[in-house]
Amino acid sequence: DAGVIQSPRHEVTEMGQEVTLRCKPISGHDYLFWYRQTMMRGLELLIYFNNNVPIDDSGMPEDRFSAKMPNASFSTLKIQPSEPRDSAVYFCASRPGGHETQYFGPGTRLLVL
Amino acid sequence: KQEVTQIPAALSVPEGENLVLNCSFTDSAIYNLQWFRQDPGKGLTSLLLIQSSQREQTSGRLNASLDKSSGRSTLYIAASQPGDSATYLCAVENSNSGYALNFGKGTSLLVTP
């Protein structure tokens, strides 16, 4: 298996633009997680899905952030409009089910100018 | 809210030394505790997962212990090598907050030849 796949790996955009981050989880995994990592706050959970259904989105910073999982093999995290404070590394992770380990993608480094 | 703290924030040791990384958490109601490794510019790799009913887990030169009642875990690395240089993250899965992981901010380890 190729592992969790994220795209793009790097994104530079200007304030006010829409940003879409993409994730393909490992096949057969029931759970998908979106995290954000910054120097100040470390790794924070934004939202997670179980069988394509959003379960907990309490970590989503504000209405500018939205996430979807239209099928078991694809998820998006969208920021509209983007702001400089959204600059961070965004990770997607998946896991088979239950209380098992999570498998992380390589991350998307986002810079909003 | 679960708080996870890792000490020290950074550590530099000469090759061959045995070392201990520390992790503490405030809420003992956990399903498991995991240790991850993160290389610069990369995603997270799971090293060890300790279920709440377990006391320790071992993998090669790594040994992780868990004392749930005192809210502490240690990661022991034997005979350190330059290739061990990375950031080590501790994460706790709470039993009362779904399947989310709460991460510490990590210990940045440098092993010098």
Side-chain angles (χ1 to χ4, degrees):
Chain A
D1 200 316
V4 176
I5 299 173
Q6 291 187 247
S7 65
R9 293 293 309 277
H10 302 272
E11 178 83 20
V12 181
T13 190
E14 293 188 346
M15 184 173 63
Q17 296 298 306
E18 177 178 295
V19 175
T20 299
L21 311 181
R22 296 173 177 81
C23 175
K24 177 178 168 55
I26 294 173
S27 177
H29 283 193
D30 293 336
Y31 290 85
L32 183 139
F33 303 81
W34 282 100
Y35 291 91
R36 179 171 66 176
Q37 186 176 39
T38 61
M39 289 292 291
M40 286 293 293
R41 300 174 69 87
L43 263 166
E44 300 175 293
L45 177 73
L46 298 176
I47 185 172
Y48 79 90
F49 296 83
N50 177 211
N51 292 323
N52 314 337
V53 176
I55 302 300
D56 183 357
D57 64 355
S58 58
M60 296 285 262
E62 48 201 272
D63 293 344
R64 297 184 298 106
F65 285 69
S66 63
K68 294 183 180 179
M69 192 165 185
N71 56 62
S73 59
F74 183 66
S75 177
T76 60
L77 178 67
K78 186 174 294 186
I79 309 172
Q80 167 63 17
S82 58
E83 297 183 2
R85 61 194 167 116
D86 301 331
S87 298
V89 182
Y90 291 80
F91 287 103
C92 175
S94 71
R95 82 179 194 189
H99 304 287
E100 302 180 44
T101 193
Q102 294 184 17
Y103 296 83
F104 280 73
T108 295
R109 292 184 174 275
L110 174 64
L111 178 61
V112 182
L113 302 174
Chain B
K1 182 180 180 295
Q2 178 75 271
E3 299 287 341
V4 182
T5 304
Q6 292 188 245
I7 295 174
L11 181 64
S12 179
V13 300
E15 181 178 7
E17 275 202 8
N18 302 325
L19 58 100
V20 174
L21 308 181
N22 297 291
C23 172
S24 62
F25 48 95
T26 55
D27 186 350
S28 61
I30 65 171
Y31 278 122
N32 58 55
L33 181 143
Q34 302 179 47
W35 283 93
F36 291 87
R37 168 182 174 143
Q38 184 175 24
D39 292 282
K42 302 287 180 64
L44 281 67
T45 301
S46 179
L47 298 173
L48 291 164
L49 183 151
I50 311 175
Q51 301 291 354
S52 62
S53 59
Q54 297 175 321
R55 297 286 296 196
E56 66 178 340
Q57 282 285 339
T58 298
S59 176
R61 295 182 294 107
L62 305 179
N63 176 276
S65 67
L66 173 64
D67 185 342
K68 196 174 71 166
S69 60
S70 67
R72 295 180 182 179
S73 175
T74 61
L75 179 65
Y76 175 84
I77 303 176
S80 58
Q81 303 171 358
D84 295 329
S85 299
T87 296
Y88 291 81
L89 293 154
C90 167
V92 170
E93 182 178 340
N94 280 32
S95 58
N96 58 2
S97 60
Y99 294 87
L101 288 177
N102 292 282
F103 282 87
K105 292 191 175 180
T107 294
S108 178
L109 173 66
L110 177 64
V111 182
T112 55

